[in-house]
Structure formats: structure tokens, C-alpha cells
Amino acid sequence: SQTIHQWPATLVQPVGSPLSLECTVEGTSNPNLYWYRQAAGRGLQLLFYSVGIGQISSEVPQNLSASRPQDRQFILSSKKLLLSDSGFYLCAWSDFRPNTEAFFGQGTRLTVV
Amino acid sequence: AQKVTQAQTEISVVEKEDVTLDCVYETRDTTYYLFWYKQPPSGELVFLIRRNSFDEQNEISGRYSWNFQKSTSSFNFTITASQVVDSAVYFCALSDTGRRALTFGSGTRLQVQP
């Protein structure tokens, strides 16, 4: 069966520090991968999605970047964190076929201080 | 462009009451899919259901039921005889050919009081 791992679960980082969140999927090949952010008390905002190695689409301009160095690995990064980067970050995967459900990791709660 | 509206920000009910969570969507496609997810306090989103635009039959799964009405662009979710464990944030989402990722509504927080 497929599983998705996301870490760390919580993170407190000072303003201006770098960020690296990692997500890996097991039990499937060529998945679509996604990074969402959920601000406190709000819905999910799509940040990035990827349909293959090295293929990254950005939904909104921001202080973050994403990379997909391997088929089942998706990394969210920042060179210098801002206070506004605080939030709950969720990685997700879906089958490569369109319009299939996405399955989510357990999320990373990031607090920038 | 796609859009999903969940007008109910928060609902509070007493255990054993029935509750309906509303979802209204907008899309220009004739083929699209609708989803519901549950987000318990732990934070992980749990997939509940997927329906395609060609299947308007209502679906029932235990205490959960979904009512899809194309005429009103709605995909409502009803929990019968609610329980405390149903307390969570529920998200409705849409997928169509115009976008590879799901578009989520803002969510409805359901609190079930004992």
C-alpha cells in the first residue's frame, strides 16, 4: 500500500533562517506531488505541484521554492524565512491520472519567530 | 476558473443531531470531480469521497451521506446521528481539466458537543 511521510512534524525557526521540509512517498511510481499551506483557521492554498522529476509548477509568487530530485521525493525550501511563512504545511500525492483524490501527509507546523 | 465555497465557517451541534455541511462549486468544465476531506485535530487530511460530474446519485456510507445536485452546483455532506469523534474541519474540493491540483473550499469546523 502507498504511504506518505513528511517531516519534521513541528519546527520553530527564526526570521531569516533557511527552511527545508521533506516529503517522500512509498508504494507508487510517478505520482503527482503537491505542497499546500494552511494558515491558521483558513483553507488550503496550493503552493507547488510536480508531475515528474525536476518539473515544478508554482501557483503563487512567494518566498518559497520546491524541488523534486527523485521520483518520490518532494522538498520545500526557503533561503530566508519571513514571519508570514508561518503556517501548517501539507505534502500530498495523487495518482498520475487526472482527477484522482490526493492523499496527505501528517503536516509540518512551522512557526517563524 | 474553479471555485469552491463553504459558507458555513463553524457549526456546533449536540451529539446525535443530524448536520449538513454545504458546498457550492463553480467550474466551466462539463467533466469534473468533487471531493470531501476530514481534518481532525491531528491535522492530517483524510479522504472521504470522490464523485464525478456524471454521477448524480446520492451516496451513503454508514452515518455519512452526500447529495450532489448539478442544477444548483452543490455537493452537500450530511452526518446522521453525529458523534463527538466527528468533530473536525471538513473540506470540499473540486478537480477539473483546467487544473492538475484540487481546489479547496475554506472549510467548515464542526463541533459536536456531548
Side-chain angles (χ1 to χ4, degrees):
Chain A
S1 63
Q2 302 88 358
T3 56
I4 179 169
H5 303 280
Q6 183 183 343
W7 67 93
T10 60
L11 193 59
V12 179
Q13 292 284 95
V15 170
S17 64
L19 173 74
S20 181
L21 302 182
E22 189 162 343
C23 172
T24 60
V25 181
E26 296 176 358
T28 186
S29 297
N30 196 29
N32 291 336
L33 296 172
Y34 312 89
W35 279 109
Y36 285 88
R37 177 170 60 198
Q38 184 178 20
R42 302 182 66 180
L44 280 77
Q45 178 188 36
L46 178 68
L47 301 177
F48 301 95
Y49 68 87
S50 172
V51 299
I53 296 174
Q55 300 179 59
I56 309 294
S57 295
S58 175
E59 282 286 302
V60 293
Q62 58 207 316
N63 186 42
L64 302 168
S65 62
S67 62
R68 185 171 178 173
Q70 299 180 41
D71 181 45
R72 291 168 288 176
Q73 183 185 28
F74 205 23
I75 298 172
L76 183 68
S77 305
S78 173
K79 292 182 179 178
K80 289 185 177 181
L81 284 169
L82 306 172
L83 287 174
S84 58
D85 291 325
S86 293
F88 190 53
Y89 290 83
L90 287 153
C91 180
W93 75 273
S94 69
D95 189 83
F96 66 90
R97 294 168 296 173
N99 300 315
T100 56
E101 57 271 23
F103 297 96
F104 286 79
Q106 294 188 323
T108 297
R109 194 163 303 280
L110 171 66
T111 304
V112 182
V113 297
Chain B
Q2 313 92 332
K3 186 178 179 181
V4 177
T5 301
Q6 294 180 255
Q8 304 153 307
T9 304
E10 187 162 344
I11 300 175
S12 182
V13 299
V14 177
E15 209 170 16
K16 297 185 182 178
E17 286 185 14
D18 299 346
V19 58
T20 295
L21 309 181
D22 298 333
C23 172
V24 175
Y25 61 91
E26 295 177 28
T27 176
R28 294 180 180 177
D29 277 9
T30 55
T31 301
Y32 52 89
Y33 289 76
L34 296 162
F35 305 78
W36 275 96
Y37 284 83
K38 174 181 180 180
Q39 186 179 39
S42 61
E44 179 181 353
L45 267 77
V46 177
F47 165 71
L48 295 178
I49 189 172
R50 177 182 75 148
R51 298 306 299 275
N52 73 59
S53 52
F54 297 107
D55 183 2
E56 287 193 71
Q57 281 192 333
N58 291 338
E59 181 151 344
I60 299 174
S61 176
R63 295 184 297 107
Y64 295 172
S65 62
W66 290 269
N67 181 280
F68 176 29
Q69 292 195 341
K70 259 181 150 175
S71 59
T72 56
S73 296
S74 65
F75 186 42
N76 297 337
F77 174 29
T78 297
I79 301 175
T80 303
S82 60
Q83 300 177 1
V84 173
V85 293
D86 295 327
S87 297
V89 180
Y90 291 86
F91 290 96
C92 180
L94 165 72
S95 172
D96 62 22
T97 56
R99 196 168 191 245
R100 286 187 177 269
L102 301 181
T103 298
F104 284 85
S106 55
T108 297
R109 181 177 299 277
L110 173 65
Q111 292 190 339
V112 181
Q113 308 289 344

